[in-house]
Amino acid sequence: MSIKENINKLRFEIPEGVDLLAVSKTKPIEDLEEAYQAGIRDFGENKVQELLSKEEEFHKDVRWHLIGKLQTNKVKYLVDKVYLIHSLSSLKLLKEVERVFRNADKIANTLIQINIGREESKSGILEEELFDLINEVEKCNHVFVKGIMVIIPKGNDEDNRKYFRRTKKIFDDLKQKDYKNIKMEILSMGMTHDFKVAIEEGSTLVRVGQGVFGERDYNI
Ligand SMILES: *Cc1c(COP(=O)(O)O)cnc(C)c1O
């Protein structure tokens, strides 16, 4: 199927109220153009350098989402380029985002990435670290938290559902609270192979790469 056909199929499968983020990492700009022509305006990249070079040469009305691990020394490049950082994943990173965006007199929109499966190999904060991070967010003036992002461990539908449900519970609990600089609106969970279950469990934004652009040559 073509990229356009993939997108039309996804539009049919994804209900109203859930946003589709097209994850274009490793894909050439011609592929992004095909998605753009099919109406996609939200693109996700996992590397700062790749996001920047695509941002420079592509349509200016595109919203760029950073979904990969963000190193503190790269934060400065994202000012005025990134629409949403999905991977706010440590106190150290939070402080650097605040510092950089303060110097630029801008606001960074972010999601807190939670390592819901407690995997060594994945970034994201652990659930018990959440309140320390929130405490620090409340002290910020240039960071705004709009929700939560998770990458769940590889597993079957039943396991996936468990992780999604647990994340939704955290999301809902935070939504009830009145923290400064935090408003829970976006729950970024679900990828090509598990987005349907994620949506059933309350996702508001699915990050779909291979389901839009076809298989990647290498998996990163
Ligand atoms: C690559 C990636 C995706 C998309 O994965 P697919 O399996 O291609 O849909 C989603 N989220 C993150 C954080 C990714 O790195």
Side-chain angles (χ1 to χ4, degrees):
M1 287 209 300
S2 70
I3 291 170
K4 185 174 183 213
E5 287 168 330
N6 287 337
I7 291 167
N8 287 337
K9 179 162 174 278
L10 284 162
R11 286 223 171 91
F12 187 74
E13 293 168 334
I14 296 172
E16 212 168 302
V18 179
D19 293 320
L20 170 61
L21 174 62
V23 176
S24 48
K25 61 189 184 192
T26 79
K27 294 296 178 180
I29 213 85
E30 302 82 68
D31 288 7
L32 280 71
E33 180 63 26
E34 218 176 309
Y36 184 91
Q37 292 306 333
I40 296 287
R41 293 295 178 272
D42 290 274
F43 290 84
E45 290 288 338
N46 68 337
K47 294 206 161 114
V48 172
Q49 191 51 54
E50 190 172 345
L51 185 153
L52 295 176
S53 65
K54 285 175 175 168
E55 191 276 337
E56 197 172 318
E57 65 174 305
F58 205 49
H59 301 278
K60 293 305 164 207
D61 60 342
V62 158
R63 295 183 288 254
W64 295 98
H65 298 241
L66 186 79
I67 60 174
K69 190 174 167 63
L70 176 56
Q71 282 159 342
T72 49
N73 62 341
K74 303 255 172 80
V75 173
K76 56 179 178 285
Y77 303 117
L78 292 175
V79 177
D80 289 333
K81 308 291 180 191
V82 77
Y83 174 73
L84 183 65
I85 299 170
H86 289 229
S87 45
L88 186 62
S89 56
S90 71
L91 273 174
K92 183 173 167 232
L93 178 61
L94 170 62
K95 286 176 182 169
E96 179 63 5
V97 174
E98 168 69 11
R99 190 188 72 78
V100 167
F101 280 72
R102 188 200 324 121
N103 286 343
D105 198 21
K106 294 278 157 72
I107 304 284
N109 285 308
T110 66
L111 305 179
I112 295 173
Q113 183 180 352
I114 299 177
N115 186 351
I116 197 75
R118 312 184 77 84
E119 294 174 285
E120 290 276 348
S121 61
K122 291 217 174 93
S123 51
I125 60 163
L126 297 172
E127 289 175 64
E128 62 269 26
E129 296 168 338
L130 191 56
F131 286 95
D132 282 344
L133 193 76
I134 288 174
N135 198 18
E136 194 64 35
V137 169
E138 288 201 283
K139 295 181 197 155
C140 291
N141 290 304
H142 296 268
V143 176
F144 197 80
V145 172
K146 302 187 83 164
I148 288 174
M149 186 271 250
V150 284
I151 306 170
I152 62 166
K154 281 201 167 61
N156 58 32
D157 277 2
E158 198 185 328
D159 293 333
N160 296 350
R161 191 178 297 282
K162 198 181 70 189
Y163 287 114
F164 290 142
R165 196 166 284 183
R166 190 177 181 85
T167 309
K168 175 66 158 64
K169 170 89 169 58
I170 297 170
F171 180 81
D172 285 342
D173 287 349
L174 292 180
K175 206 172 181 167
Q176 305 301 320
K177 307 272 173 60
D178 195 17
Y179 296 114
K180 186 177 166 240
N181 300 324
I182 300 182
K183 188 156 192 246
M184 287 289 135
E185 292 174 341
I186 302 172
L187 182 52
S188 168
M189 61 184 194
M191 310 177 12
T192 298
H193 296 293
D194 57 18
F195 76 84
K196 286 180 187 160
V197 176
I199 290 170
E200 285 168 13
E201 296 302 332
S203 170
T204 73
L205 182 152
V206 292
R207 308 179 307 267
V208 182
Q210 304 188 69
V212 170
F213 296 103
E215 276 180 31
R216 282 182 296 276
D217 291 343
Y218 50 102
N219 236 321
I220 55 169

